[in-house]
Amino acid sequence: MGIKALLSHPLAKYIVEEQQNWIARSTQVQEEWREKLVEKAMNTQFGKDHFFKDIHSYEDFKEAVPVRDYEDLKGYITHLKAGESDILWPGKPLYFAKTSGTTSGTKYIPITKESIPNHINSARNSILCYIAETQKAEFLDNKLIFLSGSPVMTETGGVLTGRLSGISNHHVPAYLRANQLPSYETNCIEDWETKLDKIIDETIDQPMSLISGIPPWVQMYFDRIIDRTGKKIKDVFPDFSLFIYGGVNFEPYRAKLYESIGKRIDSIELYPASEGFFAYQDSQKEEGLLLLLNSGIFFEFIPVENFFDEKPKRLSIKEVEIGKNYAVVVSSNAGLWGYSIGDTIKFVSTDPYRILVTGRIKHFISAFGEHVIGEEIEKALRYAMERHPEVEVVEFTVAPMVTPNQGSLPYHEWFVEFATMPVNMEQFVKDIDRRLTELNVYYDDLIKGSILRELVMTPMRKNSFIDYMRASGKLGGQNKVPRLSNDRNIADALTKINS
């Protein structure tokens, strides 16, 4: 065992003990963070505008700080981009994390000196939890690859600006940097396909033990290596033992990734976003991700069914229930206040508080009142894949067909790129549809009432989703294909690509 692996064990033990200390007082810790955040920001422009000096309870906080999205916060962000100080948080941001919004165009999310440890330490701690539980640390002595966006920075109002993954790249601990691939020069390449070929050049003959990235782009990396070598990943990288991922549900990609690797390996799921690092998988044995309640973020939760109400019901951590879907709202030491991050989660445990990410609050299909969400789509697909074990899915998305050909009922159209097609496509479709009717009573009613017909499966040609992302300027990095949408913008683009 090398020195890095050896030294990681006492650090892992310490971090887990510290984690257990705050887990034991989770609700109190959240109250303390709310109070600290309000006190710290009392003299900022936002704090003055929202009378922070008069906030003495959670009820006061809810009255003073409305739930808002990026558009609602944009006026304050504009002042920050102009180089002004003390707007949302004392001083100026350390960085702007630049990200694409579906309605807001480019978003500039502040990251402060106080909030950067949330991003960096959380990623580190997820690995230390794994080491503490499994006692496996040898991977630290080999090469580690992080498939991420470019670390090149620009300036906005005197504030360094870049992609979150690129910002994080600048904070990789020195003791890991010597092990890290690809090189800084390669990471700076903007064109994803050029970058990917260069990454393969740099990594293909290295003792890779840990690979981290969003599953579809890791799969693309694996596919290129297999095409080049004719070998499974386990034969190219015999030391590869740990896969770290986030951003999308792993389940639809799991079978294809493991088939490419040629063996099962351990994995760690992360829940990072530009707005904060919210949760990570702290155990290989327990379901769900540990919600990080002691990391500079005060969490609130809105039941999904109330989210679009004029004054939605807001709950603190002590008020949540297991199994219910909530929209996540955060206030943080990055200067975000009552900020709806757009994700939905549900709790699988409240001791400790562990969650599953279930989808996006605005990503649903409800063309006929069915309100089908991402979690239901993914569960239905997983159900069918378990019954058709030959099936391997590369990527998929779902959209409504409201106005089909004359005489046909409307339907949900599934666009699926298969690595291996179902032997019996008709039964595969029926299995998905049956499971979806079990998961969503409204969809079931519409099917039984002959308002909707059974879903339609549209198999996509090889690399169709890659071509779509390329045409959209979103190939690689942290970009993801939405699982479902309530219009046919993506569907029409994919139909054109597939023709």
Side-chain angles (χ1 to χ4, degrees), residues 5-103:
L6 193 64
L7 292 177
S8 71
H9 288 285
L11 179 58
K13 184 174 184 291
Y14 170 77
I15 290 297
V16 170
E17 287 174 354
E18 289 288 297
Q19 184 170 276
Q20 290 304 315
N21 287 337
W22 68 253
I23 284 174
R25 44 192 298 274
S26 291
T27 57
Q28 183 182 341
V29 162
Q30 275 288 278
E31 283 294 298
E32 291 170 357
W33 270 113
R34 177 182 55 76
E35 292 169 0
K36 283 189 283 190
L37 294 172
V38 168
E39 181 180 3
K40 182 78 172 179
M42 195 172 291
N43 294 317
T44 63
Q45 187 61 56
F46 188 94
K48 293 172 183 176
D49 291 347
H50 294 80
F51 305 100
F52 274 19
K53 63 182 177 59
D54 296 326
I55 296 176
H56 303 294
S57 67
Y58 180 39
E59 292 305 315
D60 291 343
F61 182 85
K62 288 190 284 188
E63 282 296 317
V65 181
V67 174
R68 46 171 38 93
D69 59 16
Y70 185 82
E71 281 298 312
D72 299 321
L73 208 61
K74 204 170 183 178
Y76 292 99
I77 301 288
T78 299
H79 286 287
L80 289 176
K81 289 169 65 181
E84 297 180 36
S85 299
D86 303 328
I87 303 299
L88 291 167
W89 190 254
K92 293 183 179 182
L94 192 62
Y95 300 104
F96 284 122
K98 193 175 177 181
T99 182
S100 299
T102 54
T103 58

Side-chain angles (χ1 to χ4, degrees), residues 1-6 137-144 179 209:
M1 184 182 295
I3 189 68
K4 292 174 185 175
L6 193 64
E138 290 80 1
F139 63 89
L140 292 174
D141 296 321
N142 288 321
K143 296 294 184 180
L144 321 172
N179 298 51
S209 56

